[in-house]
Amino acid sequence: MATVAGPARGNAIGEALRQARKAADTEYGIWSWIATVDHKRIGIMYGVTAFFFFLAGGIEALVIRLQLATPNGSIVNADQYSRIFTMHGTTMVFLVVMPLSAAFFNLLVPLMIGARDVAFPRLNAFSFWTFLAGGIFLNASFFTGNIFEGRLGAPDAGWFGYATLTSRQFSPGHGVDFWAMGLQILGIASMASGFNFIVTILNMRAPGMTLLRMPLFVWMTLVTSFLIIFAMPVITVALFELMFDRLFNANFFNPAAGGTPLLWQHMFWLFGHPEVYILILPAMGIVSEVLPTFARKPLFGYPFVVLSGVAIGFMSWGVWVHHMYTTGLGTIANSAFGISTMLIGVPTGVKIFSWLGTLWGGSISLRAPLMFAAGFIAMFTIGGLSGITHSIVPSDYQQQDTYYVVAHLHYVLFGGAMFALFAGIYYWFPKFSGKLLNDALGQVHFWLMLIGFNLTFFPMHISGLLGMPRRIYTYSGDNGWDLWNLMSTVGAFTIALSILVFMINVAITARRGDRAGSDPWDGRTLEWSIPSPPPPYNFAEIPRVHALDDFWHRKYTEDAQGRPVPIPAGAALAPEPEHAEGGHGIHMPSPSYFPLIAAIGFPLIAVGLIYDYAILAVGAAVLLVGLYGWALEPATEE
Amino acid sequence: MEHAAAGSGHLETSTGLDNRKLLMWLFLGSECLFFGSLIAAYLLYRDRSLGPPFPSDRVFNGVHYEGLFDIPFTSVSAFVLLMSSVTMVLALAAIQRGNRRSMQVWLLTTALLGTLFVSGQAYEFTVFHREGLSLGSNLFGTTFFVLTGFHGAHVTIGVLILLSLLAMSFQGRIQQKDSLNVELAGLYWHFVDVVWIVIFTLVYLIQP
Amino acid sequence: MTLSELRKKRGAPERPAEPAADTGHREKHPGPLEYAQIGVVLAIVTAIEVGIYYLDMAHGLLVALLIGLSLLKFSLVVLWFMHLKFDNRVYSSMFLFGVFLAVLIFLVALSTVGGKLV
Amino acid sequence: MRFLRARRIHLSRALSALLVLGLLALLLAGCETDTPQNTFDARGEVAARQRDLFYMAMWPAIAILILVCVVLVVALLRFRRRSPDELPKQVHGNTTLELTWTIAPALLLLVLAVPTVTAIHDLGRPPRADAFHVNVTGIQWAWQFEYADLLDDRGQPLTSLGELHVPTGREISLTIRASDVIHSFWVPKLAGKLDAIPGRDNVMWLKADEDGSFSGQCAEFCGRGHAGMKLTLIAQNQEDFQAWANEQRGGGG
């Protein structure tokens, strides 16, 4: 490889950078992680980071539940409660479910389509570091108050940040500034990975991997990525408008100047509803991978499931007003969006029935991944059906902003997304660690979580229907809500316990887990055809794909009755043969520090906007150094 | 200029399309939503300002206010940006034929035209500000400055990209085989121009 | 051991770096003359736009004409200068999806909030 | 652990059944109670219509839920892997089945859509001209009521804070506003909510079928005092209502 002369060459700093980059090109050590552009390592970092934020968001949830366990709770005051539930919502959406999905995109997409990496490995590293920077920045807001006096500095206007509550007048302090800019930074990270995965999926497929041979998870990643790149700009603009209002006295959401707070709601939900599908589609993709493997049966009606996923992606643009039925938009708007909301239930239903069809007649191994996937189906069905009740607009006038909605959204995002993500963790853990998670502990985790989850959130349907509004920090004892809230609190701690079991499981497995071979579950997709953990270059030789579930077809052929017959030849089962020698040269991208440097620029710019323009200038300089260094350094260097 | 790493191992992509060019088009598609949101906010609040200054002549509370917009001036500005698109595409045509010198001339011209446009905008902002228009003055000030300001920021970034390309070409790093770099910068540049075509019509020419 | 050493040890011969050929160009791009011609057309259309702005005509007609002319300019730049006329359809679909989505959702949104569109 | 594995099937069957039944029992228990803000316990035309619509969606939803859960549990138990080398028939799909479960839900939803849209228009109609008119303003953190139809000696409309008095049986027209941030006006037993948005007038109507005091509270998060932003709607017969109005006039004068 001809080395292109870098601008950094010839001076000491540049030389040091080159040396550092070289040093990072090893398999071990902290620098090899910091400068990595390997999609698998980035995926693992995404997952671990998101899990830490999950614990943070979970602790916030427990505080909320403790406060509401009994009437007139006094664990936190109204102000602290506002900040904690705002951070809980923001954290769980932007710092947990989205990045956990991103972790799976990173880990799996290149493996599933038979690629050596994503299309833009450094952009990928940039996404991760920007996400981390945004997450830390957002949580740093807690410390802008005086935490020892119990004054938290976190945002206090809800994760949805409805104007005018977010204006400087009604939310003094810097909480909302941190929130807006934190989301802005996280948006950059999501957009970058959205672009990256679309290009990767369209362009990096192995020979023969036509679009309709792609695993369903890859399809869902594609749809999700499109939703990300088209939905994020809308919230970006909305957040800019909010920042202009707060920092420079602009009037976007100022009724006194003739502005309307509804503009914020429209923009927020124009982004927000596709966002809901950004959260749930990857989960659907995971389940669609887990079920066929553990039932030893292909996904029922694959083209229909793909189509319904794509349909959901399109339709998600036409339902945003169902978050705004009670804002008084008029009968025509409410009718139209009521009907569109009902319609989006159809492709969702198709998916649920297709999953049942996949299980039916299979040979189902009831291991932890399958249990979580099955739990997902049941819980998501409840969430989907309560969603249908929301489309009955006049009935929703009653349920809007009550605990009924809290129940609904948690059935979708926890019962749905988190159950599926745990299914994915149990399923793919052996692929990336080389060790199988303990199944018995997995079962304990599953049942505790299922029971705890239902104990927490099912009663919320009832407290909501009994008239309990969301986001109240306290309630009196005469409303009949006490029992339901107490149940929710007990349930929340049961969930916490189940998460503890999971962490113990990971710890035990790390010490003395069963070694997993390359294909512990009798998998169907390409990632199981390579060693566990996969080598940095994934495939010694790029596979040639002949069918959907290609790896399965390498292991089994079908007899006349359609029953699979194992192919006896061991060769087909062997993890990639070592014939890289004679074959293609494997050309991996070199590690780079510049994505990290560029990412550090963003929180500096944000802090600068809030406190001091000098910091902003430093941040901008750091960002520019990162971007120029990145653009000018060669992608690969030997 | 575009930060890209060619994929690993694949020299040919599954679709036959270049990774970086695909990325650029996706980015531009996504930018449509960005500018769409800004333009929508402008349209929503057009003619809803509760006080002067106004974009065009108007009687308010019995007082006649002269509009701020100077159509001849802005038309010249719009023309300048439009012509910069022509010079941009000529730069691309030049490098695709291997004519580096010609490309450099056209790139420089484009960057200069872009700078001229941004300077015109800065002048316009100054004049408007002297007339009492600011981000906080009324809805018109808010939406106008934010919309055109973000557009101006895009043009500025475009100029920086063009100058970077120019610098690289003087180092001999933009050869005929690297014409994709120029093409990508061009796509971005034309997009910014196209956005101005829309803004010029919807914001300046069409008055309620 | 560094990854590059590992790779060398595996004996993978390095393939010489070639610039990725952009096979996205299905047809040849037009030449400078054509570009210049389109530039002239764009200039003329702009002049017409500004001209009719000063004409005294019905508001509806003016709006329709102006939008029509700006669409024409938009298409000329996108199709020729950005080569969508000549390049692979995938590129144009990515872009046009964004354009149409933006127009569609904001038309609906504006009419729902009661915004004046033009 | 071995015990767990052996018993897992029975355990899971029992647990699943318990779970589903328990959940349903809970839901039904919820509807029965007579608590101040129970949306099932409708005391006015609007709330009753909204509750009936909820039931209309709830029962099919429960039926579908049971169907899905039963199929799921049966599939998991009946088709569980009995030997490690068991290989089922590879079924890739069934077009008839797939079309059915696309079209059937669509039809069901269509059936639900008709009464929904009708109700949106019935409940969303403008209030009648002879309705009793009240201007409601949400303020951090209280509700202020201005009785446009009740004037005091100086010709100013009567006002009250936190307590809304209305005549029973008469249509009440509410113009809802906010003076600072967004609030949401809600009296669960009489009608669903409508947001109070600064710079915007939202109009709704409701009717109390019987005398009584009905509790409500702000439903849109509006800052620290959100939880305490309550109101009581007191529906009175004509005499009592007049008496109250006269008392207010006297007190206010």
Side-chain angles (χ1 to χ4, degrees):
Chain A
M1 168 97 199
T3 328
V4 184
R9 247 187 164 188
N11 65 52
I13 301 169
E15 193 50 41
L17 271 172
R18 272 172 44 78
Q19 289 305 324
R21 193 183 183 200
K22 262 218 159 96
D25 196 7
T26 56
E27 286 186 86
Y28 308 101
I30 179 110
W31 293 106
S32 73
W33 284 85
I34 286 176
T36 189
V37 293
D38 181 342
H39 70 97
K40 298 175 289 297
R41 290 186 158 202
I42 291 170
I44 289 168
M45 292 197 290
Y46 254 116
V48 172
T49 313
F51 190 77
F52 274 104
F53 285 126
F54 177 64
L55 296 182
I59 289 167
E60 284 151 13
L62 292 179
V63 174
I64 292 173
R65 278 325 316 166
L66 272 181
Q67 165 72 9
L68 296 179
T70 55
N72 310 314
S74 56
I75 309 285
V76 290
N77 62 33
D79 184 66
Q80 293 162 337
Y81 186 84
S82 310
R83 296 174 197 276
I84 288 170
F85 83 70
T86 299
M87 283 305 287
H88 168 73
T90 311
T91 301
M92 288 303 191
V93 169
F94 293 100
L95 302 179
V96 178
V97 179
M98 278 180 85
L100 271 181
S101 303
F104 282 105
F105 297 168
N106 270 293
L107 290 170
L108 295 170
V109 167
L111 299 186
M112 283 182 159
I113 61 174
R116 295 226 163 98
D117 207 321
V118 294
F120 304 98
R122 288 180 297 174
L123 187 62
N124 206 19
F126 170 76
S127 294
F128 169 73
W129 294 115
T130 307
F131 151 67
L132 182 62
I136 292 172
F137 175 77
L138 193 59
N139 278 288
S141 64
F142 271 115
F143 304 101
T144 59
N146 188 335
I147 208 158
F148 299 108
E149 290 172 15
R151 282 187 287 115
L152 309 176
D156 59 355
W159 87 279
F160 48 95
Y162 274 7
T164 51
L165 196 54
T166 48
S167 68
R168 219 169 35 200
Q169 184 189 351
F170 299 110
S171 180
H174 290 305
V176 171
D177 298 322
F178 271 84
W179 177 77
M181 304 220 220
L183 292 195
Q184 219 52 312
I185 298 173
L186 294 169
I188 297 170
S190 307
M191 297 257 291
S193 78
F195 292 128
N196 206 345
F197 282 99
I198 295 175
V199 177
T200 304
I201 293 170
L202 292 180
N203 266 359
M204 308 287 286
R205 283 167 286 139
M209 177 65 82
T210 58
L211 288 178
L212 281 177
R213 287 181 190 161
M214 295 195 312
L216 207 94
F217 179 76
V218 179
W219 262 108
M220 293 303 106
T221 307
L222 185 64
V223 176
T224 307
S225 302
F226 270 109
L227 289 180
I228 287 176
I229 69 161
F230 288 123
M232 279 290 169
V234 183
I235 191 72
T236 304
V237 169
L239 290 167
F240 271 129
E241 291 176 349
L242 175 61
M243 289 319 301
F244 276 102
D245 272 13
R246 283 183 66 92
L247 296 177
F248 309 115
N249 300 313
N251 297 311
F252 282 105
F253 310 118
N254 178 9
T260 170
L262 278 188
L263 174 65
W264 169 268
Q265 293 192 22
H266 275 282
M267 295 186 75
F268 186 81
W269 291 116
L270 257 172
F271 147 79
H273 209 82
E275 168 72 14
V276 170
Y277 291 96
I278 291 171
L279 300 173
I280 196 69
L281 286 175
M284 292 174 160
I286 290 173
V287 168
S288 305
E289 297 304 324
V290 170
L291 294 179
T293 299
F294 288 85
R296 281 200 175 139
K297 207 169 145 273
L299 187 66
F300 194 91
Y302 167 87
F304 250 67
V305 182
V306 170
L307 198 69
S308 64
V310 176
I312 289 175
F314 275 103
M315 292 165 85
S316 69
W317 291 97
V319 293
W320 80 89
V321 169
H322 72 207
H323 298 269
M324 302 168 63
Y325 285 145
T326 61
T327 55
L329 293 178
T331 51
I332 296 175
N334 281 358
S335 306
F337 283 92
I339 290 173
S340 67
T341 304
M342 288 182 181
L343 287 181
I344 206 165
V346 174
T348 314
V350 168
K351 286 191 178 258
I352 291 173
F353 294 126
S354 302
W355 291 323
L356 293 178
T358 307
L359 289 174
W360 196 266
S363 161
I364 304 168
S365 153
L366 297 172
R367 306 287 295 262
L370 188 276
M371 296 309 286
F372 276 99
F376 163 90
I377 297 178
M379 297 304 104
F380 181 72
T381 304
I382 298 180
L385 289 168
S386 59
I388 293 291
T389 64
H390 290 141
S391 71
I392 314 292
V393 183
S395 147
D396 185 65
Y397 295 157
Q398 287 283 16
Q399 287 116 41
Q400 166 83 343
D401 277 317
T402 67
Y403 263 83
Y404 187 85
V405 177
V406 180
H408 160 73
L409 79 93
H410 282 94
Y411 267 90
V412 173
L413 295 182
F414 195 130
M418 282 313 294
F419 268 74
L421 288 165
F422 273 115
I425 291 172
Y426 278 94
Y427 181 42
W428 282 297
F429 192 90
K431 177 46 64 189
F432 297 97
S433 70
K435 288 175 175 180
L436 282 162
L437 282 170
N438 181 303
D439 197 63
L441 280 175
Q443 301 285 346
V444 172
H445 171 197
F446 168 74
W447 284 108
L448 273 178
M449 195 159 116
L450 186 74
I451 292 166
F453 170 77
N454 282 291
L455 198 56
T456 311
F457 295 106
F458 199 85
M460 288 186 185
H461 288 115
I462 298 163
S463 47
L465 291 170
L466 291 182
M468 181 169 172
R470 299 170 77 169
R471 297 158 188 147
I472 52 173
Y473 80 102
T474 187
Y475 55 93
S476 57
D478 55 5
N479 273 309
W481 304 333
D482 323 11
L483 173 67
W484 313 116
N485 276 288
L486 187 62
M487 284 169 74
S488 292
T489 302
V490 173
F493 280 88
T494 316
I495 297 177
L497 184 66
S498 76
I499 301 301
L500 201 64
V501 172
F502 169 71
M503 288 161 70
I504 292 170
N505 195 350
V506 172
I508 290 179
T509 306
R511 291 208 166 192
R512 45 168 208 275
D514 295 343
R515 283 248 149 239
S518 64
D519 183 20
W521 312 113
D522 198 9
R524 311 176 72 88
T525 38
L526 288 176
E527 74 271 26
W528 303 110
S529 70
I530 55 175
S532 310
Y537 46 82
N538 298 349
F539 298 91
E541 187 152 306
I542 295 298
R544 189 162 284 279
V545 177
H546 302 282
L548 178 67
D549 292 338
D550 192 67
F551 184 55
W552 172 268
H553 291 288
R554 284 194 227 162
K555 296 185 290 191
Y556 299 96
T557 174
E558 276 175 34
D559 65 13
Q561 283 85 45
R563 293 203 169 272
V565 181
I567 298 172
L573 271 164
E576 284 298 305
E578 285 283 313
H579 48 125
E581 272 78 3
H584 298 278
I586 297 177
H587 208 72
M588 296 305 293
S590 303
S592 172
Y593 293 98
F594 289 111
L596 171 61
I597 294 172
I600 290 172
F602 293 119
L604 288 178
I605 291 174
V607 168
L609 270 173
I610 298 174
Y611 293 105
D612 188 348
Y613 290 157
I615 308 174
L616 186 148
V618 174
V622 171
L623 177 64
L624 272 181
V625 167
L627 290 180
Y628 269 93
W630 176 355
L632 296 175
E633 88 179 334
T636 50
E637 188 168 38
E638 292 297 325
Chain B
M1 182 61 228
E2 304 318 314
H3 1 90
S8 35
H10 295 253
L11 285 181
E12 283 212 359
T13 61
S14 348
T15 50
L17 305 177
D18 181 82
N19 280 349
R20 295 200 289 157
K21 200 166 160 185
L22 189 57
L23 178 74
M24 180 49 85
W25 275 112
L26 285 166
F27 172 69
L28 297 183
S30 159
E31 284 271 89
C32 289
L33 273 291
F34 182 85
F35 280 105
S37 308
L38 289 168
I39 293 172
Y42 183 88
L43 292 179
L44 173 69
Y45 287 152
R46 106 175 323 175
D47 210 24
R48 285 200 184 174
S49 294
L50 299 182
F54 300 110
S56 54
D57 296 359
R58 171 155 179 206
V59 177
F60 180 80
N61 283 347
V63 185
H64 177 85
Y65 290 96
E66 208 164 303
L68 287 183
F69 281 164
D70 179 354
I71 297 297
F73 178 83
T74 315
S75 306
V76 173
S77 238
F79 177 75
V80 166
L81 196 60
L82 207 53
M83 288 309 108
S84 78
S85 250
V86 182
T87 55
M88 181 71 232
V89 80
L90 289 175
L92 175 63
I95 191 66
Q96 279 174 343
R97 274 142 217 254
N99 191 341
R100 267 179 59 206
R101 183 53 57 192
S102 168
M103 174 198 72
Q104 287 165 350
V105 170
W106 288 125
L107 275 184
L108 189 63
T109 317
T110 313
L112 285 177
L113 288 173
T115 314
L116 191 59
F117 175 85
V118 176
S119 318
Q121 197 174 35
Y123 170 74
E124 187 191 37
F125 278 20
T126 324
V127 171
F128 286 7
H129 194 258
R130 214 177 294 136
E131 300 283 329
L133 192 72
S134 68
L135 268 173
S137 61
N138 57 4
L139 284 178
F140 169 57
T142 298
T143 51
F144 174 80
F145 278 129
V146 172
L147 169 58
T148 54
F150 269 112
H151 181 266
H154 275 73
V155 178
T156 311
I157 292 170
V159 171
L160 287 180
I161 294 175
L162 292 175
L163 293 178
S164 307
L165 271 182
L166 204 59
M168 282 168 76
S169 91
F170 284 125
Q171 291 177 338
R173 300 169 87 193
I174 306 284
Q175 303 292 338
Q176 188 171 5
K177 67 177 170 56
D178 308 313
S179 72
L180 185 66
N181 289 326
V182 181
E183 188 176 353
L184 294 178
L187 286 178
Y188 174 81
W189 190 261
H190 297 309
F191 174 77
V192 173
D193 180 30
V194 153
V195 170
W196 189 255
I197 291 176
V198 175
I199 291 178
F200 181 57
T201 304
L202 286 184
V203 174
Y204 286 89
L205 293 183
I206 298 179
Q207 289 300 327
Chain C
M1 184 197 307
T2 69
L3 284 189
S4 29
E5 280 162 10
L6 185 80
R7 276 168 225 140
K8 286 202 180 98
K9 196 174 152 214
R10 287 185 163 271
E14 299 297 341
R15 201 149 39 152
E18 306 158 15
D22 184 11
T23 42
H25 301 273
R26 291 281 173 254
E27 291 171 48
K28 234 177 124 47
H29 288 173
L33 185 65
E34 212 174 337
Y35 290 141
Q37 287 167 343
I38 289 164
V40 172
V41 174
L42 285 171
I44 294 170
V45 175
T46 310
I48 297 175
E49 280 182 330
V50 180
I52 61 172
Y53 170 80
Y54 287 103
L55 287 181
D56 205 14
M57 63 168 81
H59 186 68
L61 181 64
L62 179 76
V63 167
L65 271 176
L66 286 175
I67 290 182
L69 288 172
S70 75
L71 265 182
L72 176 67
K73 279 160 67 181
F74 184 100
S75 318
L76 282 174
V77 174
V78 169
L79 289 177
W80 267 273
F81 291 178
M82 295 166 93
H83 308 128
L84 278 189
K85 188 171 184 293
F86 313 98
D87 275 357
N88 192 295
R89 282 283 173 76
V90 174
Y91 297 133
S92 47
S93 53
M94 300 297 157
F95 180 61
L96 291 179
F97 187 79
V99 174
F100 285 125
L101 188 67
V103 171
L104 206 72
I105 62 177
F106 289 115
L107 278 181
V108 175
L110 284 176
S111 52
T112 330
V113 221
K116 284 191 198 160
L117 297 185
V118 281
Chain D
M1 291 303 180
R2 171 162 296 195
F3 162 79
L4 201 68
R5 202 163 296 169
R7 295 275 163 183
R8 189 184 301 156
I9 302 307
H10 298 283
L11 201 67
S12 61
R13 190 184 322 205
L15 278 176
S16 313
L18 256 174
L19 207 64
V20 172
L21 285 177
L23 295 183
L24 287 177
L26 277 181
L27 190 64
L28 294 175
C31 313
E32 291 299 314
T33 57
D34 173 27
T35 54
Q37 293 185 185
N38 188 346
T39 57
F40 290 108
D41 187 23
R43 301 298 173 92
E45 184 185 334
V46 177
R49 182 91 180 254
Q50 290 167 337
R51 175 201 56 203
D52 295 345
L53 281 170
F54 179 72
Y55 278 132
M56 176 193 81
M58 187 188 85
W59 291 119
I62 289 179
I64 294 172
L65 174 64
I66 292 177
L67 176 81
V68 169
C69 287
V70 166
V71 173
L72 179 66
V73 172
V74 168
L76 291 182
L77 297 180
R78 188 170 147 202
F79 300 107
R80 66 180 187 275
R81 194 172 295 169
R82 290 182 168 80
S83 72
D85 49 359
E86 190 178 67
L87 287 165
K89 190 168 168 233
Q90 302 290 290
V91 180
H92 293 271
N94 179 325
T95 312
T96 324
L97 208 53
E98 287 159 33
L99 284 175
T100 313
W101 65 47
T102 311
I103 294 166
L107 289 179
L108 176 69
L109 288 171
L110 210 62
V111 171
L112 291 181
V114 177
T116 301
V117 172
T118 323
I120 292 174
H121 284 86
D122 290 352
L123 301 180
R125 67 166 168 81
R128 295 209 177 84
D130 62 347
F132 180 75
H133 190 88
V134 183
N135 291 318
V136 180
T137 308
I139 313 161
Q140 275 183 334
W141 289 279
W143 290 103
Q144 192 197 44
F145 305 102
E146 187 190 70
Y147 301 85
D149 298 344
L150 300 178
L151 305 180
D152 65 11
D153 307 336
R154 287 171 302 176
Q156 296 295 313
L158 293 181
T159 58
S160 64
L161 204 65
E163 237 180 45
L164 170 58
H165 287 257
V166 298
T168 308
R170 189 167 160 197
E171 186 168 307
I172 315 296
S173 154
L174 302 169
T175 301
I176 297 172
R177 312 180 168 123
S179 63
D180 35 44
V181 301
I182 299 180
H183 306 275
S184 193
F185 177 83
W186 188 32
V187 183
K189 288 195 178 182
L190 296 183
K193 50 193 82 63
L194 187 63
D195 292 354
I197 299 168
R200 187 182 168 97
D201 284 359
N202 275 334
V203 179
M204 73 183 279
W205 61 272
L206 53 80
K207 205 193 259 178
D209 290 345
E210 55 188 77
D211 295 352
S213 77
F214 304 99
S215 89
Q217 68 186 101
C218 176
E220 184 65 82
F221 178 64
C222 55
R224 273 174 292 129
H226 173 54
M229 192 167 159
K230 295 182 180 164
L231 74 133
T232 310
L233 188 150
I234 297 168
Q236 291 163 308
N237 59 38
Q238 203 56 40
E239 296 99 81
D240 291 352
F241 182 70
Q242 277 308 332
W244 169 80
N246 289 334
E247 186 191 325
Q248 291 297 302
R249 285 197 185 98

